[in-house]
Amino acid sequence: MTDFSQDAEAARWNYRPENPVGLNPLFSWPPRPAAVLRWYRGAWLQLTSLTLCLALAIATYAWFLPPLEAMQSFAPGWMVRVWLLNMVPQILVAGALHWWLYMRKGQGMYKKFDRRDLTQDNGTFTFRNQVRDNIWWTLGSAMTVCTVYQWLIYWVMANGWVPTVTWAQGPVWFVVWLFFIPMWSGLHFYWVHRLEHHPKLYKHVHAVHHRNVNIGPWSGISNHWYENILYFTTYFIHLVVPSHPLHLLFHIYFQQVSPILSHSGFEKIKAGKTEAAKTGDFFHQLHHRYFECNYGTSEIPFDKWFGTFHDGSAEATTRTRAYKKQMYT
Ligand SMILES: [Zn+2]
Ligand SMILES: [Zn+2]
């Protein structure tokens, strides 16, 4: 348990985890197999962003995704459907979470990190309103860029120009690759995100995402056009690594829907008196509060390796502020 009594920042949080932010123990030395098992059990065997995205991907593949044969040439039917398969889950998940947590205030301040409510009537935001700003950058910019990339990838896959895989051809590879997609996504995200924090790129591009110091569900992929063009290049791995459309769908929802949860601003979602789902991600919440820390995810500890890890402590805040000052002077 951390002693917060000496932390000048304590009053700024409504809630924060008692223990320092955890990182994937898979990379710990000496090895900690029991902790690794606990980490992956926690991620895959409860209602989390991973399991929600996998369920979404399976349901979409089974019921809604057009067959690859239909995608061999560009035609409005399947292309509109791919766009809707991005838009509808995004609107439903972000809309429902926003409504429950911020409009209905269904669990009050329970496990809400930031004390403040979302911002209204503030000229920093497009339309002078944080939620409308976030909805525009998500549904306008992000959904457009990701859809165009997906059209290209499905089209290339459908024409057999890249190696693909089916369950029958390689069930082991099928599962292994599915399991590694979040790790690939974390690796890609770390480097793209670091690049976006270059002072020049930050000012003109990434600042749109960072208008949200206090984040909400719609902030997840509320990104500038150029940021989306970079962020969604993660999908092009499927042109190199043999994949099935289900891999791409899981990747898509992990990249698009899980940020809704991780930006929800609440650590857990309560249903009745029980905690029903893990949502918020204090690791990334700290990135939005202090900027020059926690560029990656807790899945691969790049931040620890490169000295930018913020574990929530007062010392880490001091170190982050010194680093930021040095970056901008
Ligand atoms: Zn950032
Ligand atoms: Zn963010």
Side-chain angles (χ1 to χ4, degrees):
M1 211 182 272
T2 314
D3 176 17
F4 294 131
S5 60
Q6 303 303 316
D7 188 354
E9 296 285 297
R12 297 180 70 193
W13 299 109
N14 168 61
Y15 161 80
R16 59 173 156 172
E18 287 177 353
N19 295 317
V21 175
L23 296 170
N24 188 349
L26 185 66
F27 299 92
S28 303
W29 192 260
R32 297 161 56 208
V36 173
L37 209 67
R38 260 198 315 276
W39 177 270
Y40 282 104
R41 209 171 43 207
W44 287 96
L45 298 182
Q46 311 179 35
L47 187 55
T48 60
S49 53
L50 275 178
T51 49
L52 172 76
C53 293
L54 185 60
L56 246 173
I58 293 171
T60 304
Y61 178 70
W63 293 316
F64 303 111
L65 188 75
L68 272 184
E69 305 83 72
M71 304 198 251
Q72 284 171 345
S73 56
F74 293 115
W78 71 265
M79 293 169 83
V80 170
R81 191 180 281 225
V82 166
W83 176 68
L84 287 173
L85 293 179
N86 290 316
M87 290 289 275
V88 174
Q90 202 73 22
I91 293 170
L92 288 181
V93 179
L97 262 188
H98 177 77
W99 173 78
W100 175 249
L101 297 172
Y102 291 90
M103 293 170 76
R104 171 90 207 279
K105 298 195 188 294
Q107 62 183 62
M109 295 292 280
Y110 181 75
K111 299 235 162 146
K112 183 178 189 308
F113 296 125
D114 204 297
R115 282 190 183 286
R116 296 163 300 172
D117 210 348
L118 300 174
T119 313
Q120 295 183 24
D121 198 22
N122 183 320
T124 314
F125 293 97
T126 312
F127 315 119
R128 298 188 65 83
N129 178 296
Q130 183 177 9
V131 179
R132 282 187 210 150
D133 166 289
N134 289 182
I135 291 176
W136 154 246
W137 289 105
T138 300
L139 300 184
S141 172
M143 294 291 99
T144 305
V145 175
C146 73
T147 301
V148 171
Y149 284 5
Q150 291 163 29
W151 286 341
L152 284 171
I153 296 167
Y154 284 127
W155 174 68
V156 170
M157 270 185 168
N159 282 289
W161 295 329
V162 286
T164 50
V165 68
T166 62
W167 175 262
Q169 283 166 347
V172 175
W173 170 249
F174 200 101
V175 173
V176 168
W177 181 210
L178 213 52
F179 186 77
F180 272 101
I181 283 172
M183 210 169 258
W184 158 254
S185 161
L187 184 147
H188 176 275
F189 177 65
Y190 176 82
W191 291 107
V192 163
H193 194 188
R194 265 223 99 145
L195 180 69
E196 282 164 355
H197 273 263
H198 184 281
K200 281 210 176 76
L201 214 51
Y202 181 87
K203 185 167 168 241
H204 299 289
V205 177
H206 192 45
V208 168
H209 185 65
H210 276 285
R211 288 169 180 176
N212 306 288
V213 176
N214 175 21
I215 46 184
W218 282 107
S219 311
I221 48 170
S222 174
N223 301 331
H224 187 277
W225 290 97
Y226 290 149
E227 169 158 3
N228 286 321
I229 286 170
L230 272 173
Y231 177 73
F232 290 117
T233 56
T234 182
Y235 299 151
F236 292 127
I237 189 81
H238 300 288
L239 299 180
V240 182
V241 175
S243 303
H244 181 270
L246 186 63
H247 292 113
L248 178 57
L249 279 171
F250 175 52
H251 196 166
I252 288 167
Y253 292 132
F254 186 70
Q255 206 72 17
Q256 297 169 200
V257 173
S258 84
I260 299 173
L261 305 184
S262 65
H263 288 75
S264 67
F266 287 74
E267 188 186 54
K268 299 259 170 69
I269 301 296
K270 218 164 74 161
K273 289 206 179 329
T274 52
E275 289 178 347
K278 281 210 296 197
T279 47
D281 176 7
F282 196 55
F283 180 96
H284 194 66
Q285 188 91 25
L286 287 162
H287 177 69
H288 278 269
R289 169 74 57 93
Y290 301 114
F291 303 88
E292 304 306 334
C293 61
N294 297 3
Y295 298 112
T297 63
S298 43
E299 199 56 30
I300 312 181
F302 281 120
D303 287 286
K304 184 146 198 178
W305 297 335
F306 295 117
T308 53
F309 177 46
H310 196 315
D311 63 357
S313 65
E315 302 79 67
T317 301
T318 311
R319 201 174 52 239
T320 303
R321 287 193 170 138
Y323 174 62
K324 188 175 174 197
K325 205 166 160 196
Q326 166 229 311
M327 262 180 90
Y328 280 89
T329 46

